[in-house]
Amino acid sequence: MTVASNYVAREVENKWYDYWMKNNYFHSEVDEREPYTIVIPPPNVTGVLHMGHMLNNTIQDVLIRRARLKGYNACWVPGTDHASIATEAKVVAKLKAEGIDKNDLSREEFLKHAWDWTHKHGGIILEQLKKLGASCDWERTKFTMDDDMSASVIKVFVDLYRKGHIYRGYRMVNWDPQAKTTLSDEEVIYQERQGHLYYLKYKIEGTEDTLTIATTRPETILGDTAICINPNDERFIHLKGKKAIVPLCERVIPIIEDEYVDVEFGTGCLKVTPAHDENDKMLGDKHNLEVIDIFHDDATLNSFGMQYEGMDRFEARKQMVKDLEEKGILVKTEEHVNKVGTSERTGAVIEPKLSDQWFLKMKELAQPALDAVLEKEVNLVPDKFVNTYRHWMENVRDWNISRQLVWGQQIPAFFYGDGKEDFVVAETPEEALELARKQSGKDLTAADLTQDKDALDTWFSSWLWPISVFNGILEPDNKEINYYYPTNDLVTAPEILFFWVARMIIAGYEYRDQKPFNNVYLTGIVRDKQRRKMSKSLGNSPDPLGLIDAYGADGVRVGMLLSSPAGNDLMFEEDLCKQGGAFVNKIWNSFKLVNSWEVSDKAEQPEAAKIAIQWYKAKFQKSLQEIDDNYKKYRMSDALMATYKLVWDDYCSWFLEMVKPVYGQPMDKVTFDAVTEILENNLKILHPFVPFVSEEIWQSMKERSENEALIISSWPEVENFDASLVEEFTVASEVISGIRSIRKEKNISYKDQIELHVLNNENVAGTFDPVIEKLGNISTLGYTDAQVKGALSFRVKSNDYFIPVAGAIDVDAEKAKLEEELNYTRGFLKSVEKKLSNEKFVGGAPAKVVENEKQKKADAEAKIEAILASLEALS
């Protein structure tokens, strides 16, 4: 069959992806086969492909393609996440650019803009994944705001509320002033930042005395409602029962006593600001203190900020410090490292804020999910993450699930009166009205009900993902959820182990009484050579689609996996993709070579070809077992390397050379048929890693029907093999390399046949002698009992190999060269022996260093022995 001289990745990739889609190979329906299911970690709907997606989805595609080949009913469910905060921020920015303020729009008007934005920009990332070769069941594509997905979320909220797991509370929450919404504790990233500690004087009411407090946030003094001292602190006995005056605002506040104050820390006097610190809030509740919130939702100061009203909190801090200094209130300032909470989404510094929010009680719900991982019902790979998981789950706090956003599932709570408790929770307004009438005892109408304006946390929808994509919440006994759930493998990043993975496990046990997946493969973070995380802001992240254009999808897939062990960060270099592209070209060129051979029914099979086939089949089986074992242990990088070495080294570099017909002569049909079978098996194990080039070669080998495509063929069966053949070839390959080295060093043309005599001290079987004769172009291969005079020699293990060179080289010059090498090696050996005879060195140096020196000694002795043998052979 005629094949293209050059492999053009883009043409091949478009052709075969279209072919796979046209023939519906990616689609799965419930049938009698055992299912293998993966659900994609849904990327943000408005996101674009980055290097982390590339790694994550390459691994998923490798797993799903192998499962398909192994005969499973493979189902990879794709989809996207509505990403409340990120998407709403983009829509707000777009509206702002058009001169529209979000606050001027009704909820329905804003949602229309959000849906328009989503329809325009959403799903781009899924189209980009197709370029990578992702074989998702695109007919099953889900979006977390689809009607059925949203209905599932609402149903779960109502169910958990009625079970007593969800409650509404006035609590200190993490407030993102940029996104203007609360965040869960897990969405707060703590960073160490250089700041200052400000020492401020507060007057004691009715006296000239003062007390000093230390604070990192002087702007919050305007919200102070008490000073707290430890009742056992003798330094402040005189302050008991007194009152202090807050600087600038001159508010009189009580001095309270509580053992919470650490007498050893700071000044011993603690300013209490219940509205802006969680610990202060607890003190405030205990001592019934007033709560004064000095911030607007965007963290500018409100009317309690007095002359600083309208200023950003950090600008206000600068101005306030200046003013306090001028008034003599600032005693001193010290450098201080703060642990600052920042928003995982926007990067803004988090503001503690008191607010009415919805919470999910986690302790009881989390226990089955904790047990599942500790008892290995759900396996984390690598298992080093188990301790992290356990720590999180044992210290889990109630989950703040409400967000002050419009984009998302609206909380199904309906208020009907003025009181905070005058509400009902229901799936529909109709049901809510019925419940509200019953609860209030009044003949209410729909107009009397007001639904909570807040939306649910995005994670509150994605925690149901493995269940809801199969409609398992709305129809818990449907055939799909019963067949595909629990899923097999989840591939995701360690940073969302708690955000998402743990919560999915919790939901799985709560709503299916089953784990959601068997294994969680945690990928590393893609970093650059300087170990920096790849990001747009650093400008160190290459464009994934640009890489695909340059090196082909297969080349990029190989490049991503060449050094990405589970859980360890991937140090990405573009050269890895270049190496991947070179591998693809090697596979293609090796096929072109095979395809170029003429075949004859009449030609006899050479002995070298017969042995080569037996050896490669044994070697293939050995590698297959290693590859399967690596897959089982989720060592994707190792599975790729074992495949890579088998194909590049054993198949291309050795096997094809061993069976290649003499130039100008045809190949016998027996050998060619065996090569074809071997190539097909190679393509099967290559396919998960390089699906495009493998399908192209598979389809180019012969005409095949839609039912015979590589993507749906079968994974090779593991069989018993002759391990001695593999071992014997290791020796034979060293012999061939020895012959080639001598030819190269002595400028003996490969066209010139040479003799080879073997002093077989090792009693090596002569199985591969025909191969050695062919690849070494040996005229005579004989065995001898003694050294051969006038010959060049080399050693493999304990065997000596002699190549008679009478007339082929200048013997005297060769002997002189060997003598020079001998003298150098003896001198080197002497220096090593001197070092090893030094007791101080042997006793003081690390064991590894001493071991290296001993190895150098052994290597030098072996080399001297070989040189002496060569000199004797030339005598």
Side-chain angles (χ1 to χ4, degrees), residues 565-583:
N568 292 328
D569 292 349
L570 164 64
M571 300 303 131
F572 180 79
E573 295 180 54
E574 195 165 318
D575 281 351
L576 293 170
C577 294
K578 194 174 182 180
Q579 186 180 343
F583 182 50

Side-chain angles (χ1 to χ4, degrees), residues 6-19:
N6 294 320
Y7 181 77
V8 184
R10 185 179 295 181
E11 291 176 11
V12 170
E13 289 161 11
N14 290 338
K15 174 173 69 175
W16 292 117
Y17 203 88
D18 289 347
Y19 180 81

Side-chain angles (χ1 to χ4, degrees), residues 1-52:
M1 196 176 265
T2 304
V3 297
S5 57
N6 294 320
Y7 181 77
V8 184
R10 185 179 295 181
E11 291 176 11
V12 170
E13 289 161 11
N14 290 338
K15 174 173 69 175
W16 292 117
Y17 203 88
D18 289 347
Y19 180 81
W20 295 329
M21 290 285 284
K22 178 186 156 193
N23 287 290
N24 227 17
Y25 296 131
F26 305 162
H27 184 58
S28 172
E29 291 286 348
V30 175
D31 64 23
E32 71 289 343
R33 290 174 295 167
E34 184 179 344
Y36 174 87
T37 316
I38 293 180
V39 291
I40 201 170
N44 288 0
V45 67
T46 58
V48 292
L49 202 62
H50 60 58
M51 297 304 288

Side-chain angles (χ1 to χ4, degrees), residues 741-809:
S741 293
I742 283 180
R743 280 185 176 278
K744 186 178 179 183
E745 288 170 17
K746 310 311 173 198
N747 290 318
I748 302 171
S749 170
Y750 180 76
K751 292 177 183 176
D752 298 333
Q753 287 199 318
I754 55 175
E755 293 179 19
L756 181 69
H757 299 280
V758 186
L759 184 55
N760 196 7
N761 301 318
E762 281 278 326
N763 289 319
V764 172
T767 311
F768 286 91
D769 284 358
V771 172
I772 294 169
E773 288 173 352
K774 178 178 181 179
L775 298 188
N777 197 10
I778 305 298
S779 58
T780 306
L781 193 159
Y783 288 81
T784 180
D785 296 329
Q787 291 187 347
V788 178
K789 301 294 182 182
L792 296 170
S793 67
F794 62 91
R795 176 169 285 189
V796 175
K797 293 196 172 179
S798 299
N799 276 7
D800 289 310
Y801 295 84
F802 301 96
I803 299 172
V805 290
I809 63 166

Side-chain angles (χ1 to χ4, degrees), residues 28 31 33-37 72-75 483-486 488:
S28 172
D31 64 23
R33 290 174 295 167
E34 184 179 344
Y36 174 87
T37 316
Y72 293 102
N73 187 353
C75 179
Y483 178 73
Y484 291 113
Y485 188 97
N488 295 73

Side-chain angles (χ1 to χ4, degrees), residues 172-189:
M172 183 71 71
V173 295
N174 306 301
W175 183 261
D176 181 337
Q178 186 173 324
K180 295 181 188 170
T181 182
T182 58
L183 300 177
S184 67
D185 294 334
E186 293 73 37
E187 290 169 298
V188 179
I189 309 297

